Amino acid sequence: MIANVAGGTRRTLRAGVFASLLGAMVGAVAGMAAPGIATAWADGVKVGYVEFPPYTQTDGGAAKGSLIEAFDKAAKAAGIAYTAESAPARRLFSGIADGEFNIFLGIRTVKEFDGTTLISAAPIARIELNAYGIGEAPAVKAKEDLSGKAVIALNGYSYGGWRAWMEDPANKVQMVDARTADQALQLLQAGRAPTLLQYSLPMQQALGGKTLADLKATPVQSLDVYIVVSKKTPDAAAVLAKLEAGFKATQ
């Protein structure tokens, strides 16, 4: 009787140990077969950005700018860890396509994004380009309206292809380059050129909350900013959905 009880106890113990081991193995296999979305996010996603102050820029070795700040709030609300790295546009666009970068905040009409990305249903921000003048609004609706004129523009800005057109000698545009938004506004006020091509946010920062009664603006172009997620990002669709919800919650 004692032997039978002992044997039964040993069988019960062995069965319990086996069940525990089996449960652990099943859990491990399930984890390997379908890595959890929380694990992917815990590892962090990589955000790529171009130097486009004051929207995205590197300052003191860290990513800064209005879009970076907005993304930081949305990512925290979504529970997504991230790192951010600056890259030239060409490398960034191809990097999103091949998975070197996971996320980009910007335009969606990039050929490298076709079939390689998931894009937010609605824009998260809008970047407006204006032509500014003193006294009267510049009559600028298209690049061709600047032909034969002097134009103030910031160094390093492509202006959505406008700079390349303006720099073409055939178009006879006299370029007046400025290093900063403050300097650009000063050049306009000093009469160095009748037109300043500038984005709305840097102009607001240059004005510093002041209002110039004789400053006039003509809308030239608006760029919608989207969340672009590489399809090679683990759980890409869920990452995009979480970020969209994060932006809605923090805007």
Side-chain angles (χ1 to χ4, degrees), residues 32-225:
M32 289 187 291
I37 194 167
T39 301
W41 292 348
D43 293 339
V45 293
K46 188 175 182 180
V47 179
Y49 65 94
V50 295
E51 295 296 325
F52 184 34
Y55 302 98
T56 54
Q57 66 197 83
T58 305
D59 186 4
K64 301 289 185 181
S66 60
L67 287 179
I68 297 293
E69 292 171 5
F71 179 83
D72 183 70
K73 293 177 182 177
K76 287 177 179 175
I80 298 177
Y82 74 96
T83 59
E85 180 181 327
S86 173
R90 185 168 297 179
R91 180 196 156 202
L92 176 55
F93 296 157
S94 63
I96 285 288
D98 62 28
E100 178 188 358
F101 298 98
N102 302 115
I103 295 168
F104 168 65
L105 304 178
I107 58 174
R108 61 181 178 179
T109 54
V110 176
K111 62 179 175 36
E112 288 88 347
F113 294 168
D114 290 343
T116 65
T117 62
L118 300 177
I119 300 174
S120 59
I124 58 166
R126 175 167 290 173
I127 297 175
E128 297 173 338
L129 177 63
N130 299 317
Y132 293 92
I134 299 294
E136 62 181 83
V140 178
K141 292 294 184 181
K143 296 188 290 288
E144 291 73 18
D145 294 329
L146 299 175
S147 182
K149 298 178 181 178
V151 180
I152 302 166
L154 266 71
N155 289 325
Y157 281 28
S158 67
Y159 294 104
W162 283 53
R163 175 176 281 278
W165 186 90
M166 292 187 294
E167 290 178 341
D168 185 342
N171 297 316
K172 300 178 181 179
V173 178
Q174 181 187 342
M175 298 287 294
V176 180
D177 286 321
R179 294 187 302 275
T180 66
D182 289 343
Q183 185 185 46
L185 180 57
Q186 292 169 4
L187 290 170
L188 180 67
Q189 291 178 292
R192 289 289 303 277
T195 302
L196 164 61
L197 204 59
Q198 181 60 289
Y199 291 98
S200 57
L201 183 56
M203 176 58 86
Q204 291 170 15
Q205 293 179 343
L207 289 170
K210 299 178 182 178
T211 300
L212 297 181
D214 55 350
L215 181 67
K216 302 295 189 300
T218 299
V220 170
Q221 188 181 66
S222 64
L223 302 173
D224 286 333
V225 178

Side-chain angles (χ1 to χ4, degrees), residues 15-33:
V17 171
F18 178 75
S20 298
L21 289 173
L22 181 62
M25 290 173 65
V26 170
V29 171
M32 289 187 291

